[in-house]
Amino acid sequence: MKNDATPAPNFIKNIVIDDIKTKKNDAQVRTRFPPEPNGYLHIGHAKSICLNFGIAAEFGGSCNLRFDDSNPVKEDIEYVESIKEDVHWLGFEWARLHHASDYFEQLYDYAIELIKQGKAYIESLSAEQIRTYRGTLKEPGKESPYRNRSVEENLDLFQRMRAGEFPDGSHVLRAKIDMASPNLNMRDPIIYRIRHASHHQTGDQWCIYPMYDYTHCLSDAIEGITHSLCTLEFEDHRPLYDWIVDELNTACHPQQIEFARLELEYTVMSKRKLQQLVEQGLVQGWDDPRMLSISGLRRRGYTPGSIRDFSDRIGVTKKDSVIQMSVLENSIREDLNHRATRVLAVLNPLRVVIENYPQDQVEEIEAINHPNRPELGTRKLPFSRELYIERDDFMEAPPKKFFRLALGREVRLRYAYYITCTQVIKDEQGKIVELKCRYDPATKGGSSPDGRKVKGTLHWVSAAQAIDAEIHLYDRLFKIPNPGAEGDFIQHLNPDSLKILNHGKLEPGLGSADVNTYYQFERQGYFCLDSKDSRQDALVFNRTVTLRDSWAKIEKAHAHRRR
Ligand code: ATP
Ligand code: MG
């Protein structure tokens, strides 16, 4: 699908290629995608999924799905299930499914080992005290009075922590590294804390839980991960990652490699912020089609292939950058241009009566399902005296460049006939309610034997056979490119991000539309059936994306005006 000849940069792939060449890790490649099950996955996670699974697939390796579930309070089984569904839907199969919580016993044993080596101690200062003792970037930290407890005392206290003898917050286990390190992460980081909380996998088996930094590197090592790929904010954590794995002398020492997170314009990209939108009812749920969650994109009509293609296009680098929304939209447009069945659908109907067309006649008009894919065949559309056209396709006082229908003007109805508008009917408020037209029977199929040309071609549906539908038009969820960076992001929500049209009229075949089919409503955009709210007797269609990038035009116009 990608027609750009130069592949996007991917420095991690180059590292892997070198490692294979030098037979590092016996030329094996094992990666993992390690989400914390505390929310639904978003398009940023898709970048990490495509990278981890993609590298494993390309180099004959394997990729695990591992739930980094060491924080029971924020996690939930609902998220575990949704993450599995999303990874599968994106088209990937994990070699093994793991939970960091599977390793709790092993992690505990490793902690005992650190204590025995004199490399970890029980801290009994309060959280507040720990913070002050830690120092700042400019000042070294201060050693805790508990730092030099004996191994025996540490072992005893740690075992009693596990046994549930102490309340939350009374003690923690800390790695004994260097309180003067310029890297704050190395100033005796906490590696275990007491949490009397039930865990979605281990229930009430534990009341002490390992911290993320400690859990992550050891889980990687236990699984024999060769390349541990993570985002740039973990760069400063790498020395700690290496320290833990070195001190415990694990059989495998994974290499942590950091890359830039995906940031996209006009959205927020953190589970916490997306959760806030859901909890405050500002969107319908995690799968609201305006959300850039994987489930939202799926419901919006994005294909898995388009998301994988997007992730290839943006590449993998160490430099933070913000990707324009048009890159994502172009990926789906290209895919749907190839994939989507063309249909006629009127979003905002205006009734047309063809006065010289026989009263009860219905004829069948042949229509093409895809302009570039003849193998997709044709279909028959009913044509009759009463039709609907798009309200915007008629103007009473048309400006110069308006080539569609106007009083006295002739246009083509797609696949059908030329029609000329002869009369405009209005209601008492002056609103146009109907157009009277005449058709030329000689123009069947859309051309005139006398060579007469028309400038406009309109889509239409036959009124009697049309299927009613509600149409949802989506726009960007936020008004500004970087809502996360400027004050409270909620205030930047775009109030017009969802427009509901209640009176859509569709060609009859769409009555049996299914959620797995992608459509192009000719001249309108790409649409799909809404997988949640659509019912057989009340169809709902979502606009996935417009046919062209209308924002590019708007932005260009703004730039022009500013000059
Ligand atoms: P969030 O801040 O949205 O909660 P997270 O990084 O805390 O994201 P995790 O569940 O820990 O979410 O992420 C799983 C994996 O996905 C991690 O390896 C993480 O680095 C990666 N990831 C998360 N967000 C992005 C992003 N925007 N771009 C690329 N990778 C990401
Ligand atoms: Mg996280």
Side-chain angles (χ1 to χ4, degrees), residues 40-88:
Y40 282 65
L41 298 182
H42 52 62
I43 183 81
H45 295 109
K47 173 175 180 176
S48 173
I49 293 170
C50 292
L51 176 63
N52 279 292
F53 283 91
I55 290 227
E58 186 167 347
F59 299 100
S62 59
C63 180
N64 292 344
L65 173 61
R66 182 200 322 136
F67 291 103
D68 252 332
D69 56 352
S70 53
N71 184 2
V73 183
K74 284 197 271 162
E75 297 164 4
D76 199 279
I77 199 81
E78 173 194 349
Y79 302 130
V80 170
E81 293 309 319
S82 77
I83 290 170
K84 288 198 261 184
E85 182 185 358
D86 289 349
V87 173
H88 266 148

Side-chain angles (χ1 to χ4, degrees), residues 36 38 212 234 271:
E36 185 181 356
N38 61 354
Y212 177 86
F234 288 100
K271 279 182 276 185

Side-chain angles (χ1 to χ4, degrees), residues 20 32 75 88 108 126 180 200 273 276 311-312 456-457 495 513:
I20 291 174
R32 83 288 170 268
E75 297 164 4
H88 266 148
Y108 178 82
S126 68
H200 53 102
K273 287 186 176 143
Q276 203 176 325
S311 146
D312 278 349
T457 300

Side-chain angles (χ1 to χ4, degrees), residues 320-490:
D320 279 318
S321 67
V322 184
I323 306 289
Q324 291 185 337
M325 192 71 112
S326 56
V327 181
L328 179 63
E329 290 173 347
N330 285 335
S331 287
I332 185 63
R333 253 186 217 116
E334 276 177 34
D335 192 19
L336 291 180
N337 183 33
H338 175 75
R339 195 185 290 273
T341 309
R342 272 53 175 177
V343 292
L344 301 189
V346 174
L347 307 188
N348 243 319
L350 175 59
R351 179 176 289 268
V352 165
V353 177
I354 303 177
E355 291 178 295
N356 61 335
Y357 194 86
Q359 194 63 252
D360 294 318
Q361 181 171 310
V362 179
E363 67 183 299
E364 290 192 321
I365 302 278
E366 183 157 58
I368 294 168
N369 291 335
H370 196 295
N372 313 318
R373 297 178 63 192
E375 75 277 14
L376 295 183
T378 60
R379 66 190 186 286
K380 297 278 202 297
L381 298 175
F383 185 90
S384 64
R385 184 181 157 91
E386 295 198 6
L387 312 168
Y388 293 111
I389 64 164
E390 207 68 60
R391 198 163 265 283
D392 286 351
D393 280 340
F394 176 82
M395 276 186 95
E396 253 193 314
K400 224 173 172 187
K401 286 201 170 145
F402 186 84
F403 297 122
R404 294 169 266 169
L405 197 59
L407 196 57
R409 185 182 293 174
E410 189 169 47
V411 295
R412 177 190 295 109
L413 292 180
R414 177 88 160 136
Y415 302 120
Y417 295 98
Y418 286 10
I419 60 166
T420 304
C421 181
T422 52
Q423 195 188 345
V424 180
I425 315 281
K426 295 182 182 172
D427 65 9
E428 283 159 10
Q429 282 79 44
K431 186 182 173 201
I432 300 174
V433 289
E434 187 178 297
L435 302 177
K436 303 271 191 226
C437 294
R438 296 183 68 77
Y439 86 121
D440 177 355
T443 57
K444 182 159 185 182
S447 61
S448 171
D450 63 9
R452 204 162 83 241
K453 295 271 185 280
V454 289
K455 284 205 166 139
T457 300
L458 312 187
H459 59 279
W460 54 274
V461 292
S462 174
Q465 297 82 8
I467 304 284
D468 292 324
E470 186 173 296
I471 311 283
H472 292 184
L473 302 181
Y474 301 103
D475 200 347
R476 289 166 191 188
L477 193 50
F478 291 93
K479 290 178 293 193
I480 60 168
N482 195 352
E486 295 174 40
D488 178 14
F489 73 102
I490 301 278

Side-chain angles (χ1 to χ4, degrees), residues 159-176:
Q159 277 149 6
R160 288 165 58 198
M161 272 168 68
R162 177 180 182 169
E165 287 187 27
F166 308 116
D168 288 7
S170 52
H171 306 284
V172 290
L173 181 69
R174 298 180 76 168
K176 194 170 182 175

Side-chain angles (χ1 to χ4, degrees), residues 9 74 123 196 222 250 253 309 383 398 474 505 523 544:
K74 284 197 271 162
E123 171 65 271
H196 290 269
I222 291 168
T250 53
H253 189 139
D309 175 60
F383 185 90
Y474 301 103
K505 298 282 183 187
R523 301 175 64 222
T544 310

